[in-house]
Amino acid sequence: MAFAPHQSDAAAVATIRTLAADVVGKANSGHPGAPMGMAPVAHVLYSRFINANPKNSKWLNRDRFVLSNGCALQYILLHLAGYKLSLDDLKAFRQVDSLTPGHPEAGHTDGIEVTTGPLGQGFGNGVGLAIAQAHLGALYNKPGFDLIDNYTYVFCGDGCLMEGVASEAASLAGHLQLGNLIVIYDDNHISIDGDTAVAFTENVEQRFLSYNWQVLHVDDGDSDLGAIHNAIAEARQEKNKPTIIRLKTTIGFGSKQQGTHGVHGSPLKADDIQALKTKFGFPADEKFHVPKETYDAYAEIGKRGAALEAKWNDLLAAYKDKYPKEHAELTRRISGQLPEGWEKTLPVYKPADAAQASRKLSEIVLTAVTPALPELVGGSADLTGSNLTKVKGTTDFQPPSTKLGSYAGTYIRYGVREHGMGAIANGLSAYGGIIPFVATFLNFVSYAAGAVRLSALSKHQVIWVATHDSIGLGEDGPTHQPIETAIHLRAIPNLDFWRPADGNETSAAYYVALTSKETPSVLSLSRQNLPNLEGSTIERAARGGYVVHEEESEDLTIVSSGSEVSIAVEAAGKLKAEGIKTRVVSLPCWSVFDKQDEQYRLSVLRSGAPILSLEALSTAGWQKYSHEQFGLPAWGASGPYQKIYEKFGITGSNIAVVGKKVVDFYKKKGGEITSPLVKAI
Amino acid sequence: MAFAPHQSDAAAVATIRTLAADVVGKANSGHPGAPMGMAPVAHVLYSRFINANPKNSKWLNRDRFVLSNGCALQYILLHLAGYKLSLDDLKAFRQVDSLTPGHPEAGHTDGIEVTTGPLGQGFGNGVGLAIAQAHLGALYNKPGFDLIDNYTYVFCGDGCLMEGVASEAASLAGHLQLGNLIVIYDDNHISIDGDTAVAFTENVEQRFLSYNWQVLHVDDGDSDLGAIHNAIAEARQEKNKPTIIRLKTTIGFGSKQQGTHGVHGSPLKADDIQALKTKFGFPADEKFHVPKETYDAYAEIGKRGAALEAKWNDLLAAYKDKYPKEHAELTRRISGQLPEGWEKTLPVYKPADAAQASRKLSEIVLTAVTPALPELVGGSADLTGSNLTKVKGTTDFQPPSTKLGSYAGTYIRYGVREHGMGAIANGLSAYGGIIPFVATFLNFVSYAAGAVRLSALSKHQVIWVATHDSIGLGEDGPTHQPIETAIHLRAIPNLDFWRPADGNETSAAYYVALTSKETPSVLSLSRQNLPNLEGSTIERAARGGYVVHEEESEDLTIVSSGSEVSIAVEAAGKLKAEGIKTRVVSLPCWSVFDKQDEQYRLSVLRSGAPILSLEALSTAGWQKYSHEQFGLPAWGASGPYQKIYEKFGITGSNIAVVGKKVVDFYKKKGGEITSPLVKAI
């Protein structure tokens, strides 16, 4: 496809540039330089290549566009292309409750695929989007029915490429031979600290060659629209490698300060904007000027997209006739509906069933539900045998040439790349039709914290299988034993952190995680065996907290989670022998429990007796649910896990002693004991 | 230096291999494969190159050895070389309270420089150790006095090289031209998931060439000691580039399962160990066998090291005569003592002084103390102008050929590499003589969580300048506004998280951070201006918490931190006008406050009236210090910061309303109000 210049090109590029200056100028905050520099490539991509229908931003086979160096550019493009974003929305850039927050947020603004701004994330998301296309295409495309064949385009800057999360994702993308992924690197030599010469002098082209990418470059990204066009066209031809196009641009092109970091993160001055507009033949004093020819040109893009979708809908209808089963499954998956009755496959346990590690219980759940849920696409950061995440019979997601699997495979070998894995999973979820689960030790979810918080902010349904979740992992010791991790994750809004205590609770955790379409979950799972509890059921545990052992007129309630619940039950038995009536509450998921009605919550953590929390982690945060807290005073230790539990006094015997001390203290203190849930505000 | 084979070489290599099998076998836990595969290079490095005195593991100019794929190998080498680690200690591998925990921990075991095991960290630490040498050498070496000229050797495996933290550090190391850094990459093609063909197929040599490293390789790392020797010798010759030596080895060499992931993370079977010993000519049934010739050979290494240190001590004595000032400064820095009276340089404020952002107050502190504290070596992850971390007049730490600075410079341009920065800072601290500070937005400290927790576990004094610490950053919006970050960091043992409220508190935070030699600190600082408080002093704030506004027989106490303290004071004023006497407590650092004596703590957060916490973050954890909590219900918002504070009700007026509600609630409830610090356990 040769480049055909159009008379509207120059005005369109100028429009993007001047809008960037105006949007950032009005907000008096933001980053004008990158949008101004990337205006030509943005225009070429949107006007010549992007297949998307602005009137239906959810059309499945749309090309995905990710602005990894998230900034106002994306809002400008969405507005011009006719998405649900008005000129007034642009004028409200970075204002409270606008559709145009400081950085693009998925789920917040029509047409935004993934949340960007935190550098490197969008790059990883792009790899996930590309994996999703390759996978769904391999599963559902049929001869004559290329239903799923979109490209993923990622724009990124120097900052993104310096981030380790992007390095991890890039290495995996090369291994996976993702020919549908095209990254355009805005090589403008400027970051916030000034010239990239101060810190970023690696040979980026060579680095990406080492990752098995196709590497192209455009030397004049400021004005050579033809070269930009040809590079993207060439990228699309390479089917077995992702492509990175190194595009030399001038940051803040057109500004008096172009090419300096003065245009990176601060608005242009008023006279500079005026001069810019004059230079481009725009009225110097008119703000937010969009020439009619630009709107017209972008309307054509919209028409093209609408026509493409209409054609695709016809194809889908024909597909339905020929492949009714695949059609039903694909459309169900895209709709986000789970198949009817899937939850009946969840394992149910009785107290007499053998004790097992909750990581093993997780494997049993995955094994049980996988046949019913083809949308589960899982993987581990090189800990498959420890996380127990590969269901027997599943195939690796691998390029066919490796002979190690196929793109139809559902198990992703992420390598030791936790942060990249997290960002990729966000992309998988954002694509639609896939529920990704990813796995590592709980302690190393921290490596991916940047991606995890964006799952939650972006409402991506990602499930983390986080095994080896406490000192109970034993010998690996303090370097691997989480202390702070649970409260870190519990404090993230819209993230469900589950720490199930037994088989039924593990099934409950998966049940809620799989049915929470807009909430990511971290399942914190033990390495060591856990007995099945009297009183646990999937239904009860699915409320996030429940009474696992009831007593009337109790002297004490112990509230606990995960592997410590059975220790609490043991302590309760010992206390009972001493005449101290002790209830035990299991609280596997704080955020789900917090959503229950007040009456229920106050029935579980009720007034009248002291409540003692028990968890083999930092006690931070447990004060919300208890009067007294027992946990780890500092770091864990290396050794056989039973010895470590003994060292830290997390045993039935010692907790009974602690419990008695608590009871005595509150008896001595006297007065009414109110549930910690009873609050003024 | 040509390779001179020694008759003891074969036995020494076999000893390392069989000890690895025995150590892991006795523990019935650990990773035998890598030590067995890396035994030859470990032996060549220790016997031919390492300059270190096992009898004084703290000798300044020792070569640093980092086992980034932290495992039993390091313990075996330390034992053989004569460090304070007995054969019995090896037998106690992975047992509770032993000197040989699951992964090597700095500060726990003699001769361990940095804590490794969490993959990629050691690689980053190694870059930090190399920067430290380059910096201190540039500062203190004089003609004829190469006092500081050690090498840093890092062993790493596939896992480390997949981690983004290592990619970030490697790119920076190449930029910085660290010729004193030699990385040996154990290319054994095996990780936990099996053959690296499943996920790690990039061209590592080409990648490191792209980073501006010297790249060497040894094809037979299993037996070609001469080639290993020559590669290390060649690496040492390259003064302007770090070197990576790709060493092909067979994991678990000698085992029946060699070359498979079966030897990666599980002990060898008993008969396999016996066959291994027979193969190497060792008694098949003797465990922990060390031939006398091996001990003898390693005793020679020890002697060489002791002689080197003695010679160096003579050099230092001569240096003292010729350069008394430099000598005094260097030895003071190495001792970790701050110069007398340095604290008098800390800025002190009066309430009438202008309101300033605490990031600006931080800059004022750094500007004031830097002349007194040459050990401060700082930098930012490409946010210098926002973090305000570069003190005027300081020079960049840069290779001289860049003409952007020199190795004597104290300001490091980290690039957008938060995780690498954190790992490098740990290495800087581990070297000695340097107090590193590093900077980014508080939200992006999360990218470096893996390194931050290891600072704390390893007792590295690293100071994080974490600006833009709440919704107060304004326009950048939810993607950049921390919610969960404070409680995450507060829950890490041995980490001081400071959120100062004004000028004196900022000085206090620095005072404690700079004098806490074994504790890292995160200083959480505002973007927006904060007034100086009546009642704040450095001394009071240095206790971690104090009464900033006192009232007798109060109706309410508001406890707050950072930018919300002045809002609490404003609310207290409004409440007073309504007849509600309100104390205000500032709690800038929980962990420091927790260390104060009980009487003091109970005088600050006293019984008798309800305590309401106020912070523009998640309320998680505040229940420990308060009866009621006010904070952010979920994510922040993008907009001018005052508008966001209004949106979320964090204003003097609204907090007064909330405070009144709290007072009414507790009046109505009746009964005694006990401080939340009064506990049974």
Side-chain angles (χ1 to χ4, degrees):
Chain A
M1 186 169 71
F3 178 60
H6 191 279
Q7 59 180 20
S8 67
D9 287 334
V13 172
T15 302
I16 296 170
R17 284 180 163 137
T18 54
L19 275 181
D22 279 342
V23 165
V24 173
K26 178 151 198 319
N28 196 25
S29 172
H31 306 77
M36 292 171 71
M38 296 196 88
V41 69
H43 172 65
V44 170
L45 182 68
Y46 264 74
S47 64
R48 305 307 202 278
F49 293 102
I50 286 265
N51 292 336
N53 180 5
K55 299 303 169 212
N56 175 14
S57 65
K58 295 296 171 201
W59 171 38
L60 175 64
N61 199 37
R62 69 191 180 276
D63 288 338
R64 266 59 171 186
F65 175 72
V66 177
L67 188 67
S68 190
N69 47 349
C71 62
L73 175 60
Q74 193 157 9
Y75 298 135
I76 292 166
L77 293 169
L78 291 175
H79 168 68
L80 292 177
Y83 288 80
K84 296 189 187 81
L85 205 69
S86 68
L87 210 52
D88 282 339
D89 292 323
L90 293 188
K91 290 176 186 168
F93 180 56
R94 297 189 158 216
Q95 303 308 304
V96 171
D97 297 331
S98 76
L99 287 175
T100 46
H103 298 277
E105 294 171 30
H108 183 87
T109 311
D110 185 45
I112 301 289
E113 307 284 356
V114 291
T115 302
T116 54
L119 295 177
Q121 298 294 336
F123 191 110
N125 302 157
V127 175
L129 290 163
I131 290 174
Q133 184 281 319
H135 176 64
L136 293 173
L139 274 185
Y140 295 106
N141 289 347
K142 300 286 176 189
F145 291 93
D146 282 340
L147 274 180
I148 300 167
D149 65 353
N150 71 283
Y151 284 91
T152 296
Y153 298 99
V154 177
F155 283 7
C156 74
D158 295 298
C160 287
L161 294 188
M162 284 189 251
E163 290 284 7
V165 57
S167 295
E168 292 175 10
S171 176
L172 187 60
H175 168 77
L176 293 174
Q177 305 176 19
L178 300 172
N180 56 356
L181 175 64
I182 298 171
V183 173
I184 294 164
Y185 160 39
D186 180 25
D187 180 21
N188 63 28
H189 267 277
I190 295 292
S191 64
I192 291 179
D193 268 20
D195 196 295
T196 51
V198 302
F200 188 52
T201 53
E202 64 176 50
N203 183 330
V204 172
E205 293 199 22
Q206 189 175 19
R207 171 150 75 98
F208 277 80
L209 287 172
S210 82
Y211 294 145
N212 191 38
W213 285 52
Q214 171 173 238
V215 176
L216 306 174
H217 61 260
V218 174
D219 285 335
D220 175 9
D222 292 333
S223 56
D224 193 346
L225 304 190
I228 293 170
H229 176 279
N230 294 341
I232 297 174
E234 189 177 346
R236 289 160 53 104
Q237 293 308 309
E238 172 58 69
K239 300 297 182 195
N240 298 312
K241 289 180 180 184
T243 296
I244 187 167
I245 301 171
R246 187 168 67 82
L247 185 77
K248 280 201 185 173
T249 70
T250 303
I251 193 168
F253 183 88
S255 157
K256 292 173 185 171
Q257 289 196 79
Q258 70 176 35
T260 74
H261 79 288
V263 292
H264 183 293
S266 310
L268 305 192
K269 292 197 173 129
D271 65 329
D272 195 1
I273 297 181
Q274 288 178 323
L276 179 80
K277 289 177 180 168
T278 305
K279 193 184 294 181
F280 295 148
F282 281 21
D285 290 324
E286 194 188 323
K287 288 189 174 142
F288 296 91
H289 176 69
V290 181
K292 182 172 177 301
E293 61 173 324
T294 301
Y295 275 135
D296 289 347
Y298 275 78
E300 290 303 315
I301 302 174
K303 279 186 206 160
R304 183 185 74 205
L308 280 165
E309 188 190 355
K311 201 173 144 195
W312 186 88
N313 284 331
D314 292 344
L315 189 70
L316 185 66
Y319 184 83
K320 182 178 180 181
D321 292 340
K322 194 153 182 190
Y323 303 101
K325 193 168 146 265
E326 287 83 352
H327 176 272
E329 188 177 85
L330 173 63
T331 49
R332 179 191 67 72
R333 286 177 63 166
I334 297 307
S335 76
Q337 292 299 318
L338 300 181
E340 205 166 332
W342 77 273
E343 71 277 5
K344 296 191 185 105
T345 63
L346 285 168
V348 180
Y349 297 84
K350 296 183 300 294
D353 290 333
Q356 297 192 83
S358 51
R359 62 174 171 152
K360 181 72 189 170
L361 296 164
S362 159
E363 184 186 38
I364 295 169
V365 172
L366 288 172
T367 304
V369 303
T370 289
L373 299 178
E375 51 265 64
L376 279 176
V377 175
S380 163
D382 195 45
L383 286 168
T384 296
S386 300
N387 300 140
L388 302 178
T389 33
K390 186 160 189 313
V391 170
K392 265 184 201 151
T394 56
T395 305
D396 274 15
F397 177 87
Q398 294 278 4
S401 70
T402 61
K403 306 213 167 98
L404 296 168
S406 78
Y407 285 146
T410 54
Y411 195 74
I412 302 178
R413 304 282 180 173
Y414 282 101
V416 193
R417 302 181 180 106
E418 298 83 4
H419 202 176
M421 176 170 74
I424 288 169
N426 290 344
L428 289 171
S429 170
Y431 191 92
I434 289 172
I435 301 177
F437 67 90
V438 292
T440 183
F441 287 178
L442 177 60
N443 190 55
F444 299 112
V445 177
S446 300
Y447 271 41
V452 172
R453 86 185 302 273
L454 288 184
S455 303
L457 177 60
S458 312
K459 301 177 184 164
H460 295 316
Q461 185 184 15
V462 172
I463 301 173
W464 283 79
V465 179
T467 70
H468 295 63
D469 76 339
S470 77
I471 52 170
L473 65 84
E475 288 84 351
D476 269 320
T479 54
H480 288 53
Q481 291 164 351
I483 302 297
E484 74 286 10
T485 319
I487 186 61
H488 170 202
L489 298 171
R490 283 167 174 154
I492 296 178
N494 189 41
L495 176 79
D496 288 342
F497 176 85
W498 286 90
R499 198 160 178 264
D502 73 352
N504 291 330
E505 290 198 9
T506 305
S507 291
Y510 270 101
Y511 175 76
V512 180
L514 287 166
T515 50
S516 297
K517 287 191 217 174
E518 299 199 329
T519 302
S521 303
V522 176
L523 313 188
S524 169
L525 302 165
S526 75
R527 178 182 184 228
Q528 75 271 32
N529 286 346
L530 310 178
N532 285 293
L533 302 167
E534 299 265 1
S536 82
T537 67
I538 294 179
E539 293 68 28
R540 302 174 95 193
R543 300 192 78 169
Y546 66 101
V547 184
V548 71
H549 175 74
E550 188 56 281
E551 293 277 354
E552 298 283 308
S553 309
E554 76 278 9
D555 302 297
L556 178 70
T557 292
I558 305 180
V559 59
S560 185
S561 90
S563 43
E564 286 71 69
V565 177
S566 59
I567 296 171
V569 171
E570 190 192 332
K574 289 182 191 294
L575 285 164
K576 181 140 199 178
E578 295 186 53
I580 297 172
K581 288 191 284 181
T582 306
R583 294 165 80 233
V584 178
V585 167
S586 180
L587 209 63
C589 184
W590 294 8
S591 51
V592 168
F593 180 69
D594 288 350
K595 279 184 218 141
Q596 307 302 312
D597 62 83
E598 189 181 22
Q599 195 189 345
Y600 177 74
R601 286 185 287 112
L602 286 174
S603 75
V604 173
L605 293 172
R606 67 189 177 202
S607 296
I611 301 175
L612 166 67
S613 77
L614 172 64
E615 195 172 55
L617 302 167
S618 166
T619 57
W622 274 105
Q623 296 83 1
K624 181 175 176 186
Y625 303 100
S626 61
H627 302 93
E628 302 284 328
Q629 297 78 35
F630 197 89
L632 287 192
W635 305 103
S638 170
Y641 83 88
Q642 301 92 333
K643 300 268 185 197
I644 306 175
Y645 271 86
E646 275 167 31
K647 176 183 167 77
F648 292 111
I650 304 183
T651 60
S653 316
N654 190 56
I655 296 306
V657 171
V658 171
K660 189 162 187 311
K661 201 188 274 183
V662 169
V663 171
D664 290 347
F665 176 87
Y666 283 84
K667 277 207 177 123
K668 195 173 158 196
K669 190 183 168 202
E672 202 186 334
I673 298 174
T674 313
S675 165
L677 300 182
V678 175
K679 290 279 193 182
I681 57 172
Chain B
M1 186 168 70
F3 178 60
H6 192 279
Q7 59 180 22
S8 66
D9 286 334
V13 172
T15 302
I16 296 171
R17 285 181 163 138
T18 54
L19 276 180
D22 279 341
V23 165
V24 173
K26 178 152 198 317
N28 196 25
S29 172
H31 306 76
M36 292 172 70
M38 297 196 87
V41 68
H43 172 66
V44 170
L45 182 69
Y46 265 73
S47 64
R48 306 307 202 278
F49 293 102
I50 286 264
N51 292 336
N53 181 4
K55 300 301 168 212
N56 176 13
S57 65
K58 295 296 169 199
W59 171 39
L60 175 64
N61 199 37
R62 67 190 181 277
D63 287 339
R64 267 56 170 189
F65 175 72
V66 177
L67 187 67
S68 190
N69 47 349
C71 60
L73 176 61
Q74 195 156 8
Y75 297 136
I76 292 166
L77 293 169
L78 291 175
H79 167 68
L80 293 177
Y83 287 80
K84 295 189 190 84
L85 205 69
S86 69
L87 211 51
D88 282 340
D89 292 324
L90 293 188
K91 290 176 187 169
F93 179 56
R94 297 190 157 214
Q95 302 308 304
V96 170
D97 296 331
S98 76
L99 287 176
T100 46
H103 299 277
E105 295 172 28
H108 183 87
T109 310
D110 185 45
I112 301 288
E113 306 284 356
V114 290
T115 302
T116 54
L119 294 176
Q121 298 294 336
F123 191 110
N125 301 157
V127 174
L129 289 164
I131 291 174
Q133 184 282 320
H135 177 64
L136 293 173
L139 275 183
Y140 294 107
N141 289 347
K142 300 286 176 189
F145 292 93
D146 281 340
L147 274 181
I148 301 167
D149 64 353
N150 70 283
Y151 284 91
T152 296
Y153 297 99
V154 177
F155 284 6
C156 74
D158 295 298
C160 287
L161 294 189
M162 284 189 251
E163 289 285 7
V165 58
S167 295
E168 292 175 10
S171 176
L172 188 59
H175 167 77
L176 293 174
Q177 305 175 19
L178 299 171
N180 57 355
L181 175 64
I182 298 171
V183 173
I184 294 166
Y185 160 39
D186 180 25
D187 180 22
N188 63 28
H189 265 277
I190 294 293
S191 64
I192 291 179
D193 268 20
D195 195 296
T196 52
V198 302
F200 188 53
T201 52
E202 63 175 49
N203 184 330
V204 172
E205 293 200 22
Q206 189 176 20
R207 171 150 75 101
F208 277 80
L209 287 171
S210 83
Y211 294 146
N212 191 38
W213 285 52
Q214 172 174 236
V215 177
L216 306 174
H217 61 262
V218 174
D219 285 335
D220 175 8
D222 292 332
S223 55
D224 192 346
L225 303 190
I228 293 170
H229 177 279
N230 294 342
I232 297 174
E234 189 177 345
R236 291 161 52 103
Q237 293 308 309
E238 171 58 68
K239 300 297 182 196
N240 298 312
K241 288 181 180 183
T243 296
I244 186 166
I245 302 172
R246 187 169 66 82
L247 185 77
K248 280 201 186 175
T249 69
T250 304
I251 193 167
F253 183 88
S255 156
K256 293 172 186 172
Q257 289 197 78
Q258 71 175 33
T260 74
H261 80 288
V263 292
H264 184 292
S266 310
L268 304 193
K269 294 199 172 124
D271 65 328
D272 195 4
I273 298 181
Q274 287 178 322
L276 180 80
K277 289 177 182 170
T278 303
K279 192 183 294 180
F280 295 148
F282 281 21
D285 289 324
E286 194 187 323
K287 288 191 173 140
F288 296 92
H289 176 69
V290 180
K292 183 173 178 300
E293 63 173 322
T294 301
Y295 274 136
D296 289 348
Y298 274 78
E300 288 303 315
I301 303 173
K303 278 187 205 160
R304 183 184 75 205
L308 280 165
E309 187 189 356
K311 200 173 144 196
W312 187 87
N313 284 330
D314 293 344
L315 189 71
L316 185 67
Y319 184 83
K320 181 180 183 181
D321 291 342
K322 195 153 180 190
Y323 302 102
K325 194 167 146 267
E326 287 84 352
H327 176 271
E329 188 177 86
L330 173 63
T331 50
R332 179 190 67 71
R333 287 177 63 166
I334 297 307
S335 76
Q337 292 299 318
L338 300 181
E340 207 166 332
W342 76 273
E343 71 279 5
K344 296 191 184 106
T345 62
L346 284 168
V348 180
Y349 297 84
K350 296 184 301 292
D353 290 333
Q356 296 192 83
S358 50
R359 63 174 173 151
K360 181 73 189 168
L361 295 163
S362 160
E363 184 185 39
I364 294 169
V365 172
L366 287 172
T367 304
V369 303
T370 289
L373 300 178
E375 51 266 64
L376 280 176
V377 174
S380 163
D382 195 46
L383 286 168
T384 296
S386 300
N387 300 140
L388 303 177
T389 33
K390 187 161 190 312
V391 170
K392 266 184 200 151
T394 55
T395 304
D396 274 14
F397 176 86
Q398 294 278 4
S401 69
T402 62
K403 305 212 167 102
L404 297 168
S406 78
Y407 285 146
T410 54
Y411 195 74
I412 301 178
R413 303 284 180 172
Y414 283 101
V416 193
R417 302 180 180 105
E418 298 82 4
H419 202 175
M421 176 169 74
I424 289 169
N426 289 345
L428 289 171
S429 170
Y431 191 92
I434 288 172
I435 301 176
F437 67 90
V438 292
T440 183
F441 287 179
L442 177 60
N443 190 54
F444 299 113
V445 178
S446 299
Y447 271 40
V452 172
R453 86 185 302 273
L454 288 184
S455 302
L457 177 61
S458 312
K459 301 177 184 164
H460 295 317
Q461 185 183 16
V462 172
I463 300 173
W464 283 79
V465 180
T467 69
H468 296 62
D469 75 340
S470 77
I471 52 170
L473 65 82
E475 289 84 352
D476 269 319
T479 55
H480 288 53
Q481 290 163 351
I483 302 298
E484 74 286 9
T485 320
I487 186 61
H488 170 202
L489 298 170
R490 284 167 173 153
I492 296 179
N494 189 41
L495 176 80
D496 288 343
F497 176 84
W498 286 90
R499 199 160 178 266
D502 74 350
N504 291 331
E505 290 198 10
T506 304
S507 291
Y510 271 101
Y511 175 76
V512 180
L514 287 165
T515 51
S516 298
K517 286 190 215 174
E518 299 200 327
T519 302
S521 303
V522 176
L523 313 187
S524 168
L525 302 165
S526 75
R527 178 183 184 227
Q528 74 271 33
N529 286 347
L530 309 178
N532 286 292
L533 302 167
E534 299 265 3
S536 83
T537 67
I538 295 179
E539 294 68 26
R540 303 175 94 193
R543 300 193 77 169
Y546 65 101
V547 183
V548 71
H549 175 73
E550 189 54 282
E551 291 278 353
E552 299 281 309
S553 310
E554 75 279 9
D555 301 297
L556 177 71
T557 293
I558 305 180
V559 59
S560 185
S561 90
S563 42
E564 286 71 68
V565 177
S566 60
I567 296 171
V569 171
E570 191 191 331
K574 289 182 191 293
L575 285 164
K576 182 141 198 177
E578 294 186 54
I580 297 172
K581 289 190 283 181
T582 305
R583 295 164 79 233
V584 178
V585 167
S586 181
L587 209 63
C589 184
W590 294 9
S591 51
V592 168
F593 180 68
D594 288 349
K595 279 184 217 142
Q596 306 302 311
D597 62 82
E598 189 181 22
Q599 194 188 346
Y600 177 75
R601 286 184 286 115
L602 286 174
S603 76
V604 174
L605 293 172
R606 67 190 176 201
S607 297
I611 303 174
L612 165 67
S613 76
L614 173 65
E615 195 173 54
L617 302 168
S618 166
T619 58
W622 275 105
Q623 296 83 359
K624 181 176 176 184
Y625 303 101
S626 60
H627 302 93
E628 301 284 329
Q629 297 78 36
F630 197 88
L632 287 192
W635 305 103
S638 170
Y641 83 88
Q642 303 92 332
K643 300 269 184 194
I644 306 176
Y645 270 86
E646 275 167 31
K647 175 184 169 77
F648 292 111
I650 305 183
T651 60
S653 316
N654 189 56
I655 297 305
V657 172
V658 171
K660 188 162 186 313
K661 202 186 277 183
V662 169
V663 171
D664 291 347
F665 176 86
Y666 282 85
K667 277 209 177 121
K668 196 171 158 195
K669 189 183 169 202
E672 202 184 333
I673 299 174
T674 313
S675 164
L677 299 183
V678 175
K679 290 279 193 182
I681 56 172

